[in-house]
Amino acid sequence: MKRTTINRIRIGEDLYNMTIDRELGVITSLEKNIGGKMTGGTGEAGGEEALDAGGLLYLPAMSDMHIHLDKHFLGEPWKPLQPFVTLPGQLAFEKAMIKTMPTTAADRARRLIDLLLSHGTTKIRTHVDVDPVIGISHLEHVLAVREEYRGVMEIEIVAFPQQGLLRSDSVKVMKAALRAGAEYVGGVDPAGLDRQVDFSLETMFELSSEFGAGVDLHLHDPGHLGLYTISRFGDLTVQAGKGGRTAVSHAYCLGQVTEAESRDLAQKLAADDVAIITSVPIDRPMPRVDQLIAEGVRVHVGCDNILDAWSPFGNGDLLARGSRLAEKLGWIVDEDLLRTYPLISSGSLVPKAGDPASFMLVDAMNPKHAIALAPPREAVFSAGKLVGGRWKEAAERFVAPAALTSL
């Protein structure tokens, strides 16, 4: 058995010694640290190692439910953007920019995955562009990269017809993408881009039913048009028996109508079991997250754009994105700050033996302080493996900080 013991991890108000099975990727034991007692092996020879966290705070690893692995500019020379005027114009601009990039979708996927791991994200849902021009080439690259990172990063893939499902005549290529391994049917603006709300939505769900896939819709269409679209999306979710497997991303319209109108739709979303995913925009209205949660709607957060043709902003730090959400909503009391974690993580703030060994260690007093501060990640573990944070950086430089000294 290959075991790692990490001593003096702060969980709640107390310090614990945690033992991890690196082969199984789970926490095997968790015991209170009494009087600074250290446990564990004396090196790697016997497959055991012991590390000292020195009081760093435990936080569960995070899940980014809206990202684009295939079309960011990380690691590329600076690319000036153009002001957004129309969606078709922006789509053409994005196409032209990606065409000039010297890197492959696989190169870009690896870069972004490594960045996300360094910040403590170990699960993602990525939208990958497909259309009749590029076919499923981006998807094939991302599928290959997913295999490379299997056991470290959990990756769900949405076949995403960015140019419009109907507008770009992408039904055939969507079928090819779903056969190849995509698990979700994507779509974008059934009114604003496809110009056929019901037909566009019905086509998405027909694909979903044919291939046993979920559905994740990008929706920027505003106001009451957006409300109608979400309502029909919910109806189709129920008709297709897809409750728990569908989501609407962005859904700005939920913040553009009255509270009474958005509450009525929130109650329907909860009944239909449709999730809402937000990237917490600061330049436009967004869904009333506190209202959605109160009505029982599943809500997730994603980073979405990270230095791409749409925005030069974003660094892939989901903890910082959760902090932005709490600040934007005025969540300043302890109870509210803690409400942020289920939106960015499926893990518990209080781990137990048998849980996946996917977590991060940060220098913070408690989880409330951590969400307010969004401190640097000192260490990130995924399925028992050290995959990010300052500990990993130090190990790669062959310089062992005190926290990495084997005991």
Side-chain angles (χ1 to χ4, degrees):
M1 179 187 297
K2 294 184 177 180
R3 296 188 302 185
T4 298
T5 298
I6 309 177
N7 294 292
R8 297 194 297 171
I9 294 178
R10 181 170 300 281
I11 301 172
E13 301 298 322
D14 299 308
L15 297 181
Y16 288 80
N17 298 336
M18 175 190 291
T19 301
I20 297 167
D21 184 323
R22 299 197 302 276
E23 293 178 322
L24 296 178
V26 298
I27 299 169
T28 56
S29 69
L30 198 63
E31 299 177 353
K32 273 193 178 181
N33 182 290
I34 307 298
K37 179 182 177 182
M38 303 297 168
T39 62
T42 57
E44 282 289 353
E48 296 193 13
E49 64 176 354
L51 309 172
D52 182 16
L56 293 173
L57 178 71
Y58 173 98
L59 293 176
M62 298 178 291
S63 302
D64 190 319
M65 301 308 288
H66 190 122
I67 204 82
H68 295 265
L69 290 180
D70 61 323
K71 54 185 186 178
H72 59 82
F73 303 152
L74 291 171
E76 303 291 329
W78 180 258
K79 299 181 184 298
L81 303 186
Q82 69 176 15
F84 182 93
V85 179
T86 66
L87 183 54
Q90 187 66 25
L91 293 174
F93 176 69
E94 179 187 56
K95 270 278 195 184
M97 294 192 79
I98 292 176
K99 193 173 182 180
T100 66
M101 295 175 70
T103 50
T104 66
D107 295 330
R108 296 190 291 274
R110 292 187 192 97
R111 285 180 187 171
L112 184 48
I113 290 171
D114 289 341
L115 177 64
L116 296 172
L117 286 170
S118 75
H119 288 311
T121 294
T122 61
K123 177 180 178 179
I124 59 174
R125 178 180 297 174
T126 180
H127 299 256
V128 180
D129 280 15
V130 300
D131 64 47
V133 176
I134 64 171
I136 63 169
S137 59
H138 285 202
L139 175 67
E140 289 171 336
H141 281 234
V142 173
L143 285 167
V145 171
R146 177 164 71 174
E147 290 306 309
E148 293 175 23
Y149 284 82
R150 188 171 294 279
V152 174
M153 177 69 83
E154 183 180 348
I155 303 174
E156 297 177 347
I157 299 177
V158 184
F160 182 47
Q162 173 72 87
Q163 305 295 313
L165 177 61
L166 304 181
R167 176 178 177 268
S168 64
D169 193 20
S170 286
V171 173
K172 184 176 179 180
V173 73
M174 287 287 288
K175 290 185 176 184
L178 291 161
R179 289 190 193 99
E183 297 102 339
Y184 283 81
V185 175
V188 57
D189 292 350
L193 200 57
D194 275 347
R195 303 284 181 171
Q196 301 178 73
V197 178
D198 291 285
F199 185 35
S200 179
L201 291 174
E202 288 162 5
T203 302
M204 291 175 211
F205 279 90
E206 286 170 4
L207 288 167
S208 169
S209 295
E210 182 177 350
F211 292 94
V215 185
D216 192 328
L217 169 68
H218 277 59
L219 183 66
H220 314 96
D221 289 334
H224 293 95
L225 177 59
L227 288 195
Y228 171 78
T229 303
I230 295 176
S231 180
R232 284 292 296 134
F233 187 91
D235 292 343
L236 291 167
T237 294
V238 173
Q239 291 172 23
K242 295 288 181 178
R245 298 194 63 204
T246 67
V248 179
S249 293
H250 302 310
Y252 304 136
C253 59
L254 289 171
Q256 295 171 327
V257 297
T258 68
E259 288 192 28
E261 289 172 316
S262 63
R263 181 176 293 107
D264 286 344
L265 187 51
Q267 291 169 352
K268 177 175 171 52
L269 287 169
D272 296 344
D273 201 3
V274 174
I276 295 294
I277 302 172
T278 181
S279 60
V280 196
I282 59 175
D283 59 344
R284 67 194 70 191
M286 61 172 280
R288 295 181 172 97
V289 170
D290 45 0
Q291 183 186 73
L292 290 169
I293 294 172
E295 296 299 338
V297 180
R298 291 178 294 112
V299 180
H300 305 290
V301 172
C303 287
D304 192 15
N305 303 100
I306 297 175
L307 184 59
D308 60 10
W310 301 79
S311 170
F313 304 110
N315 62 3
D317 188 341
L318 194 60
L319 188 62
R321 191 63 57 120
S323 181
R324 184 165 96 177
L325 174 71
E327 185 174 10
K328 182 165 183 173
L329 296 179
W331 287 0
I332 61 172
V333 301
D334 285 3
E335 180 182 353
D336 284 341
L337 290 169
L338 291 175
R339 292 167 71 192
T340 310
Y341 283 100
L343 310 184
I344 61 174
S345 175
S346 59
S348 171
L349 291 168
V350 182
K352 63 183 184 302
D355 284 353
S358 298
F359 59 92
M360 48 189 170
L361 301 177
V362 300
D363 186 3
M365 293 181 284
N366 53 48
K368 288 88 69 176
H369 183 215
I371 199 66
L373 180 64
R377 304 320 97 93
E378 301 298 329
V380 177
F381 287 82
S382 179
K385 305 174 185 68
L386 179 64
V387 297
R390 290 175 170 172
W391 288 13
K392 184 172 188 293
E393 293 169 6
E396 290 173 344
R397 292 195 303 267
F398 302 101
V399 178
L404 276 178
T405 303
S406 293
L407 301 175

